[in-house]
mmCIF file of all heavy atoms in Angstrom:
data_model
loop_
_atom_site.group_PDB
_atom_site.id
_atom_site.type_symbol
_atom_site.label_atom_id
_atom_site.label_comp_id
_atom_site.label_asym_id
_atom_site.label_seq_id
_atom_site.Cartn_x
_atom_site.Cartn_y
_atom_site.Cartn_z
ATOM 1 N N ARG X 1298 -1.986 -0.047 -12.424
ATOM 2 C CA ARG X 1298 -2.827 -0.493 -11.322
ATOM 3 C C ARG X 1298 -3.617 -1.722 -11.755
ATOM 4 O O ARG X 1298 -4.190 -1.769 -12.831
ATOM 5 C CB ARG X 1298 -3.809 0.615 -10.878
ATOM 6 C CG ARG X 1298 -3.138 1.788 -10.208
ATOM 7 C CD ARG X 1298 -2.329 1.405 -8.985
ATOM 8 N NE ARG X 1298 -3.118 0.763 -7.964
ATOM 9 C CZ ARG X 1298 -3.780 1.418 -6.987
ATOM 10 N NH1 ARG X 1298 -3.749 2.730 -6.949
ATOM 11 N NH2 ARG X 1298 -4.468 0.759 -6.081
ATOM 12 N N THR X 1299 -3.621 -2.729 -10.898
ATOM 13 C CA THR X 1299 -4.176 -4.032 -11.245
ATOM 14 C C THR X 1299 -5.629 -3.931 -11.689
ATOM 15 O O THR X 1299 -6.470 -3.426 -10.962
ATOM 16 C CB THR X 1299 -4.091 -4.978 -10.035
ATOM 17 O OG1 THR X 1299 -2.807 -4.815 -9.428
ATOM 18 C CG2 THR X 1299 -4.273 -6.414 -10.456
ATOM 19 N N GLN X 1300 -5.913 -4.422 -12.901
ATOM 20 C CA GLN X 1300 -7.283 -4.447 -13.414
ATOM 21 C C GLN X 1300 -7.564 -5.824 -14.003
ATOM 22 O O GLN X 1300 -7.551 -6.008 -15.219
ATOM 23 C CB GLN X 1300 -7.490 -3.344 -14.458
ATOM 24 C CG GLN X 1300 -7.505 -1.945 -13.880
ATOM 25 C CD GLN X 1300 -8.651 -1.712 -12.910
ATOM 26 O OE1 GLN X 1300 -9.706 -2.313 -13.019
ATOM 27 N NE2 GLN X 1300 -8.438 -0.838 -11.950
ATOM 28 N N PHE X 1301 -7.742 -6.797 -13.147
ATOM 29 C CA PHE X 1301 -8.023 -8.146 -13.622
ATOM 30 C C PHE X 1301 -9.499 -8.253 -13.962
ATOM 31 O O PHE X 1301 -10.369 -8.217 -13.093
ATOM 32 C CB PHE X 1301 -7.653 -9.176 -12.555
ATOM 33 C CG PHE X 1301 -6.191 -9.169 -12.210
ATOM 34 C CD1 PHE X 1301 -5.768 -9.127 -10.907
ATOM 35 C CD2 PHE X 1301 -5.234 -9.205 -13.223
ATOM 36 C CE1 PHE X 1301 -4.423 -9.125 -10.596
ATOM 37 C CE2 PHE X 1301 -3.878 -9.202 -12.918
ATOM 38 C CZ PHE X 1301 -3.478 -9.161 -11.599
ATOM 39 N N MET X 1302 -9.783 -8.393 -15.228
ATOM 40 C CA MET X 1302 -11.169 -8.476 -15.689
ATOM 41 C C MET X 1302 -11.274 -9.541 -16.771
ATOM 42 O O MET X 1302 -10.335 -9.786 -17.514
ATOM 43 C CB MET X 1302 -11.641 -7.125 -16.241
ATOM 44 C CG MET X 1302 -11.657 -6.006 -15.232
ATOM 45 S SD MET X 1302 -11.917 -4.380 -15.990
ATOM 46 C CE MET X 1302 -13.490 -4.616 -16.791
ATOM 47 N N ILE X 1303 -12.434 -10.188 -16.827
ATOM 48 C CA ILE X 1303 -12.717 -11.136 -17.904
ATOM 49 C C ILE X 1303 -14.062 -10.750 -18.516
ATOM 50 O O ILE X 1303 -15.067 -10.711 -17.795
ATOM 51 C CB ILE X 1303 -12.779 -12.575 -17.378
ATOM 52 C CG1 ILE X 1303 -11.405 -13.000 -16.843
ATOM 53 C CG2 ILE X 1303 -13.223 -13.535 -18.468
ATOM 54 C CD1 ILE X 1303 -11.382 -14.380 -16.240
ATOM 55 N N PRO X 1304 -14.174 -10.512 -19.863
ATOM 56 C CA PRO X 1304 -13.025 -10.523 -20.761
ATOM 57 C C PRO X 1304 -12.149 -9.277 -20.569
ATOM 58 O O PRO X 1304 -12.642 -8.293 -20.040
ATOM 59 C CB PRO X 1304 -13.680 -10.553 -22.143
ATOM 60 C CG PRO X 1304 -15.002 -9.889 -21.944
ATOM 61 C CD PRO X 1304 -15.423 -10.211 -20.539
ATOM 62 N N PRO X 1305 -10.863 -9.321 -20.958
ATOM 63 C CA PRO X 1305 -10.190 -10.430 -21.633
ATOM 64 C C PRO X 1305 -9.478 -11.331 -20.621
ATOM 65 O O PRO X 1305 -9.317 -10.971 -19.468
ATOM 66 C CB PRO X 1305 -9.175 -9.709 -22.508
ATOM 67 C CG PRO X 1305 -8.781 -8.527 -21.662
ATOM 68 C CD PRO X 1305 -10.022 -8.098 -20.929
ATOM 69 N N TRP X 1306 -9.008 -12.454 -21.094
ATOM 70 C CA TRP X 1306 -8.203 -13.326 -20.256
ATOM 71 C C TRP X 1306 -6.755 -12.866 -20.202
ATOM 72 O O TRP X 1306 -5.993 -13.312 -19.357
ATOM 73 C CB TRP X 1306 -8.235 -14.752 -20.824
ATOM 74 C CG TRP X 1306 -9.435 -15.537 -20.405
ATOM 75 C CD1 TRP X 1306 -10.581 -15.722 -21.125
ATOM 76 C CD2 TRP X 1306 -9.620 -16.247 -19.185
ATOM 77 N NE1 TRP X 1306 -11.472 -16.505 -20.429
ATOM 78 C CE2 TRP X 1306 -10.903 -16.852 -19.225
ATOM 79 C CE3 TRP X 1306 -8.835 -16.451 -18.054
ATOM 80 C CZ2 TRP X 1306 -11.411 -17.615 -18.180
ATOM 81 C CZ3 TRP X 1306 -9.333 -17.211 -17.013
ATOM 82 C CH2 TRP X 1306 -10.615 -17.790 -17.085
ATOM 83 N N ASP X 1307 -6.390 -12.027 -21.137
ATOM 84 C CA ASP X 1307 -4.990 -11.663 -21.298
ATOM 85 C C ASP X 1307 -4.525 -10.706 -20.194
ATOM 86 O O ASP X 1307 -4.958 -9.561 -20.134
ATOM 87 C CB ASP X 1307 -4.794 -11.001 -22.665
ATOM 88 C CG ASP X 1307 -3.344 -10.638 -22.925
ATOM 89 O OD1 ASP X 1307 -2.475 -11.104 -22.156
ATOM 90 O OD2 ASP X 1307 -3.094 -9.895 -23.888
ATOM 91 N N HIS X 1308 -3.681 -11.196 -19.322
ATOM 92 C CA HIS X 1308 -3.110 -10.357 -18.265
ATOM 93 C C HIS X 1308 -1.614 -10.146 -18.505
ATOM 94 O O HIS X 1308 -0.860 -9.877 -17.562
ATOM 95 C CB HIS X 1308 -3.353 -10.996 -16.897
ATOM 96 C CG HIS X 1308 -4.803 -11.215 -16.603
ATOM 97 N ND1 HIS X 1308 -5.296 -12.411 -16.161
ATOM 98 C CD2 HIS X 1308 -5.867 -10.394 -16.724
ATOM 99 C CE1 HIS X 1308 -6.610 -12.320 -16.007
ATOM 100 N NE2 HIS X 1308 -6.971 -11.109 -16.344
ATOM 101 N N SER X 1309 -1.198 -10.276 -19.752
ATOM 102 C CA SER X 1309 0.223 -10.222 -20.074
ATOM 103 C C SER X 1309 0.841 -8.869 -19.732
ATOM 104 O O SER X 1309 2.016 -8.801 -19.355
ATOM 105 C CB SER X 1309 0.445 -10.540 -21.555
ATOM 106 O OG SER X 1309 -0.267 -9.629 -22.384
ATOM 107 N N GLU X 1310 0.074 -7.793 -19.833
ATOM 108 C CA GLU X 1310 0.615 -6.473 -19.523
ATOM 109 C C GLU X 1310 0.981 -6.373 -18.050
ATOM 110 O O GLU X 1310 2.010 -5.797 -17.688
ATOM 111 C CB GLU X 1310 -0.376 -5.378 -19.902
ATOM 112 C CG GLU X 1310 0.126 -3.958 -19.668
ATOM 113 C CD GLU X 1310 1.289 -3.564 -20.575
ATOM 114 O OE1 GLU X 1310 1.697 -4.351 -21.433
ATOM 115 O OE2 GLU X 1310 1.799 -2.435 -20.402
ATOM 116 N N PHE X 1311 0.141 -6.936 -17.186
ATOM 117 C CA PHE X 1311 0.454 -6.940 -15.761
ATOM 118 C C PHE X 1311 1.763 -7.676 -15.505
ATOM 119 O O PHE X 1311 2.656 -7.191 -14.794
ATOM 120 C CB PHE X 1311 -0.674 -7.578 -14.957
ATOM 121 C CG PHE X 1311 -0.277 -7.919 -13.543
ATOM 122 C CD1 PHE X 1311 -0.104 -6.927 -12.589
ATOM 123 C CD2 PHE X 1311 -0.048 -9.238 -13.168
ATOM 124 C CE1 PHE X 1311 0.285 -7.236 -11.290
ATOM 125 C CE2 PHE X 1311 0.330 -9.564 -11.875
ATOM 126 C CZ PHE X 1311 0.500 -8.554 -10.933
ATOM 127 N N PHE X 1312 1.897 -8.861 -16.095
ATOM 128 C CA PHE X 1312 3.092 -9.655 -15.848
ATOM 129 C C PHE X 1312 4.335 -9.028 -16.480
ATOM 130 O O PHE X 1312 5.437 -9.096 -15.916
ATOM 131 C CB PHE X 1312 2.886 -11.088 -16.356
ATOM 132 C CG PHE X 1312 1.897 -11.865 -15.523
ATOM 133 C CD1 PHE X 1312 0.634 -12.163 -16.006
ATOM 134 C CD2 PHE X 1312 2.235 -12.286 -14.249
ATOM 135 C CE1 PHE X 1312 -0.275 -12.862 -15.234
ATOM 136 C CE2 PHE X 1312 1.327 -12.986 -13.461
ATOM 137 C CZ PHE X 1312 0.071 -13.283 -13.961
ATOM 138 N N ARG X 1313 4.163 -8.381 -17.626
ATOM 139 C CA ARG X 1313 5.301 -7.701 -18.251
ATOM 140 C C ARG X 1313 5.766 -6.533 -17.386
ATOM 141 O O ARG X 1313 6.964 -6.371 -17.129
ATOM 142 C CB ARG X 1313 4.929 -7.200 -19.644
ATOM 143 C CG ARG X 1313 6.092 -6.558 -20.405
ATOM 144 C CD ARG X 1313 5.660 -6.001 -21.745
ATOM 145 N NE ARG X 1313 4.821 -4.817 -21.617
ATOM 146 C CZ ARG X 1313 5.297 -3.585 -21.400
ATOM 147 N NH1 ARG X 1313 6.606 -3.388 -21.268
ATOM 148 N NH2 ARG X 1313 4.492 -2.556 -21.314
ATOM 149 N N LYS X 1314 4.826 -5.726 -16.934
ATOM 150 C CA LYS X 1314 5.170 -4.571 -16.117
ATOM 151 C C LYS X 1314 5.656 -4.976 -14.729
ATOM 152 O O LYS X 1314 6.378 -4.213 -14.075
ATOM 153 C CB LYS X 1314 3.969 -3.641 -16.003
ATOM 154 C CG LYS X 1314 3.546 -2.988 -17.303
ATOM 155 C CD LYS X 1314 4.582 -1.997 -17.806
ATOM 156 C CE LYS X 1314 4.649 -0.745 -16.966
ATOM 157 N NZ LYS X 1314 5.541 0.279 -17.543
ATOM 158 N N LEU X 1315 5.267 -6.167 -14.283
ATOM 159 C CA LEU X 1315 5.721 -6.641 -12.982
ATOM 160 C C LEU X 1315 7.242 -6.741 -12.959
ATOM 161 O O LEU X 1315 7.887 -6.327 -11.993
ATOM 162 C CB LEU X 1315 5.085 -7.997 -12.675
ATOM 163 C CG LEU X 1315 5.432 -8.633 -11.337
ATOM 164 C CD1 LEU X 1315 4.949 -7.768 -10.174
ATOM 165 C CD2 LEU X 1315 4.813 -10.035 -11.247
ATOM 166 N N ASP X 1316 7.807 -7.283 -14.019
ATOM 167 C CA ASP X 1316 9.264 -7.393 -14.089
ATOM 168 C C ASP X 1316 9.914 -6.011 -14.069
ATOM 169 O O ASP X 1316 10.943 -5.803 -13.416
ATOM 170 C CB ASP X 1316 9.680 -8.142 -15.351
ATOM 171 C CG ASP X 1316 9.452 -9.646 -15.246
ATOM 172 O OD1 ASP X 1316 9.418 -10.159 -14.118
ATOM 173 O OD2 ASP X 1316 9.302 -10.299 -16.296
ATOM 174 N N GLU X 1317 9.325 -5.064 -14.772
ATOM 175 C CA GLU X 1317 9.870 -3.706 -14.787
ATOM 176 C C GLU X 1317 9.800 -3.093 -13.393
ATOM 177 O O GLU X 1317 10.746 -2.445 -12.926
ATOM 178 C CB GLU X 1317 9.103 -2.840 -15.779
ATOM 179 C CG GLU X 1317 9.285 -3.246 -17.235
ATOM 180 C CD GLU X 1317 8.522 -2.336 -18.184
ATOM 181 O OE1 GLU X 1317 8.172 -1.213 -17.778
ATOM 182 O OE2 GLU X 1317 8.282 -2.748 -19.330
ATOM 183 N N GLY X 1318 8.669 -3.287 -12.721
ATOM 184 C CA GLY X 1318 8.490 -2.742 -11.378
ATOM 185 C C GLY X 1318 9.464 -3.332 -10.384
ATOM 186 O O GLY X 1318 10.007 -2.622 -9.520
ATOM 187 N N VAL X 1319 9.691 -4.630 -10.490
ATOM 188 C CA VAL X 1319 10.643 -5.299 -9.597
ATOM 189 C C VAL X 1319 12.047 -4.734 -9.812
ATOM 190 O O VAL X 1319 12.784 -4.473 -8.855
ATOM 191 C CB VAL X 1319 10.611 -6.822 -9.816
ATOM 192 C CG1 VAL X 1319 11.845 -7.483 -9.207
ATOM 193 C CG2 VAL X 1319 9.349 -7.413 -9.196
ATOM 194 N N ALA X 1320 12.426 -4.534 -11.064
ATOM 195 C CA ALA X 1320 13.751 -3.986 -11.353
ATOM 196 C C ALA X 1320 13.911 -2.588 -10.759
ATOM 197 O O ALA X 1320 14.962 -2.251 -10.193
ATOM 198 C CB ALA X 1320 13.986 -3.946 -12.862
ATOM 199 N N ILE X 1321 12.859 -1.776 -10.859
ATOM 200 C CA ILE X 1321 12.897 -0.433 -10.279
ATOM 201 C C ILE X 1321 12.976 -0.515 -8.763
ATOM 202 O O ILE X 1321 13.761 0.192 -8.117
ATOM 203 C CB ILE X 1321 11.671 0.387 -10.717
ATOM 204 C CG1 ILE X 1321 11.741 0.684 -12.214
ATOM 205 C CG2 ILE X 1321 11.578 1.695 -9.922
ATOM 206 C CD1 ILE X 1321 10.469 1.287 -12.786
ATOM 207 N N ALA X 1322 12.162 -1.383 -8.162
ATOM 208 C CA ALA X 1322 12.170 -1.537 -6.709
ATOM 209 C C ALA X 1322 13.548 -1.953 -6.215
ATOM 210 O O ALA X 1322 14.052 -1.429 -5.210
ATOM 211 C CB ALA X 1322 11.115 -2.557 -6.292
ATOM 212 N N GLN X 1323 14.171 -2.884 -6.909
ATOM 213 C CA GLN X 1323 15.513 -3.317 -6.519
ATOM 214 C C GLN X 1323 16.508 -2.163 -6.610
ATOM 215 O O GLN X 1323 17.343 -1.974 -5.723
ATOM 216 C CB GLN X 1323 15.957 -4.483 -7.400
ATOM 217 C CG GLN X 1323 15.213 -5.780 -7.144
ATOM 218 C CD GLN X 1323 15.591 -6.868 -8.133
ATOM 219 O OE1 GLN X 1323 15.773 -6.598 -9.323
ATOM 220 N NE2 GLN X 1323 15.707 -8.094 -7.659
#
Side-chain angles (χ1 to χ4, degrees):
R1298 291 302 301 272
T1299 317
Q1300 289 297 331
F1301 298 131
M1302 297 169 59
I1303 295 177
W1306 277 98
D1307 182 12
H1308 302 130
S1309 58
E1310 182 67 3
F1311 166 73
F1312 290 108
R1313 184 184 70 81
K1314 294 292 289 187
L1315 181 63
D1316 284 336
E1317 293 181 20
V1319 164
I1321 292 170
Q1323 290 174 321

